[in-house]
Amino acid sequence: MEAHSQENTNEDFRNYSPERINAFSDGVFAIIITIMILELKHPSKPTFSALFAAWPVWISYLVSYVFIAIVWINHHYVLKHATSVRLRLIWVNFAHLFSVSLIPFLTDWIAETRLESVPVVMYAFVFVLVNVTYLFLIRETMYQVSTGIRHQTRQILYRRSVLTIFLFVGAMIIAIWLPDIGFLMICVCLIIYLRPEVTKGRIVKPRERP
């Protein structure tokens, strides 16, 4: 009975397409970037020394901007493998977008506190949330192409995400005593996601049934 109810629920979304989820997500990403840039505060004085003194603002904004760009690229890379939409995929996508939406708040916080310990810890925690929800996003999309995508590719995607989760947790712990080092670890972890592809082989989608 429960399985039949779940099947009916998924049928309600049969007219939804992955492109529609992508379009909605693009709008959310655009809003997040807009909010973040609106929170940028100009230097108190019209001098270069005042501009340089505001380095935490520019560094935090740059890292967050690159982070959002990387999340957007990887988000599109994963969703392009979805051939249909289920309710669970929609909720997982909302959870992923929620974790990303916390970035502007924490970007402003670490900038105002000049990379103090607690803000950097919470900043790293958001990266953990983004990676955890990304793992679920992989699970909800990659299963649809299990016959066309190589097992090795799925495994590497999972291992990369799990590895970076541990690295971000490590950054959280280190940031308690050394926030600058913790923040640097976050920046280094981002390099791992610069390329969403994990193998050189081409991934082929299965043909949709008529």
Side-chain angles (χ1 to χ4, degrees), residues 77 80-81 142 148-154 156-157 195-205:
Y77 175 75
K80 78 177 182 179
H81 300 298
M142 293 300 184
I149 189 171
R150 291 185 300 182
H151 178 71
Q152 179 187 8
T153 301
R154 293 198 305 270
I156 294 177
L157 282 171
R195 287 179 58 87
E197 302 88 353
V198 291
T199 60
K200 294 182 179 180
R202 193 169 73 91
I203 296 172
V204 181
K205 285 187 182 181

Side-chain angles (χ1 to χ4, degrees), residues 5-22:
S5 176
Q6 181 68 29
E7 183 179 349
N8 288 337
T9 302
N10 288 326
E11 282 294 318
D12 293 337
F13 293 92
R14 64 184 182 277
N15 293 326
Y16 284 66
S17 66
E19 289 75 18
R20 186 170 182 179
I21 295 181
N22 258 327

Side-chain angles (χ1 to χ4, degrees), residues 48-146:
F48 284 111
S49 59
L51 181 64
F52 296 145
W55 65 266
V57 175
W58 310 116
I59 291 294
S60 60
Y61 174 78
L62 177 62
V63 173
S64 295
Y65 188 89
V66 172
F67 177 48
I68 294 175
I70 290 174
V71 173
W72 180 82
I73 293 171
N74 284 271
H75 179 272
H76 273 262
Y77 175 75
V78 170
L79 279 183
K80 78 177 182 179
H81 300 298
T83 57
S84 62
V85 175
R86 301 197 307 174
L87 179 61
R88 193 160 54 184
L89 173 59
I90 295 175
W91 280 115
V92 168
N93 189 63
F94 269 112
H96 190 58
L97 294 177
F98 168 76
S99 59
V100 179
S101 70
L102 298 174
I103 295 176
F105 163 71
L106 290 169
T107 300
D108 185 58
W109 195 17
I110 63 176
E112 286 190 353
T113 57
R114 305 181 71 84
L115 303 183
E116 285 292 331
S117 176
V118 175
V120 175
V121 169
M122 294 307 299
Y123 191 62
F125 177 68
V126 168
F127 282 71
V128 173
L129 287 181
V130 171
N131 272 270
V132 170
T133 54
Y134 182 67
L135 274 173
F136 283 103
L137 200 61
I138 293 173
R139 181 168 180 254
E140 289 303 313
T141 54
M142 293 300 184
Y143 87 96
Q144 299 181 23
V145 290
S146 57

Side-chain angles (χ1 to χ4, degrees), residues 59 63 110 114-128 164-190:
I59 291 294
V63 173
I110 63 176
R114 305 181 71 84
L115 303 183
E116 285 292 331
S117 176
V118 175
V120 175
V121 169
M122 294 307 299
Y123 191 62
F125 177 68
V126 168
F127 282 71
V128 173
T164 50
I165 287 174
F166 279 108
L167 290 175
F168 287 132
V169 170
M172 289 175 58
I173 297 173
I174 292 176
I176 296 176
W177 298 280
L178 301 169
D180 292 345
I181 302 299
F183 187 78
L184 181 61
M185 286 182 62
I186 294 173
C187 298
V188 172
C189 288
L190 292 180

